[in-house]
Amino acid sequence: QVQLVESGGSLVQPGGSLRLSCVVPGSILSFDAVGWYRQAPGKQRELVARISHYGTTNYADSVKDRFIISRDFAKNTVYLVMNNLKSEDTAVYYCNVVAGANDDWGQGTQVTVSS
């Protein structure tokens, strides 16, 4: 099982920004894709943003133009920068990596958007 280390979740006011980090073991390029998902209370887990091995990104419609996923190869870290946060962004955010048929998740980091 792949060990992922997530951080960066916090309480933030509406309109604020946060940066989540996901440290992956070894090279980011050893994975087919790295993604951020979220799960709000009473809701299903949903994709927020994902970046492929080749650097292709895709985003949920609800976060386009507000969130940016990026990679730092030197730090083996994938970031999710979240701008103009809204109350509906409140959720536990999970990092996910895919390598072939294998699929692993981090422990999650809580993001709460509230005044």
Side-chain angles (χ1 to χ4, degrees):
Q1 189 169 358
V2 172
Q3 200 84 2
L4 305 173
V5 180
E6 299 146 327
S7 61
S10 182
L11 170 65
V12 62
Q13 292 188 342
S17 297
L18 280 177
R19 187 180 75 167
L20 305 184
S21 301
C22 174
V23 181
V24 306
S27 171
I28 293 173
L29 293 177
S30 65
F31 300 103
D32 297 324
V34 181
W36 284 97
Y37 289 72
R38 67 186 180 189
Q39 187 166 19
K43 295 189 176 181
Q44 289 191 331
R45 192 172 295 190
E46 63 175 358
L47 173 68
V48 176
R50 181 169 53 201
I51 187 163
S52 76
H53 174 91
Y54 300 102
T56 303
T57 58
N58 58 292
Y59 295 90
D61 287 342
S62 60
V63 308
K64 277 180 183 175
D65 301 324
R66 297 190 298 125
F67 291 10
I68 301 171
I69 189 169
S70 64
R71 305 180 290 187
D72 184 330
F73 295 113
K75 297 182 178 178
N76 296 334
T77 301
V78 175
Y79 299 105
L80 182 69
V81 174
M82 306 185 294
N83 299 311
N84 190 21
L85 283 160
K86 304 176 181 181
S87 58
E88 52 263 42
D89 295 317
T90 294
V92 178
Y93 284 70
Y94 297 90
C95 183
N96 169 264
V97 294
V98 177
N102 296 318
D103 186 18
D104 288 285
W105 296 87
Q107 79 285 356
T109 185
Q110 177 71 47
V111 172
T112 303
V113 184
S114 175
S115 55

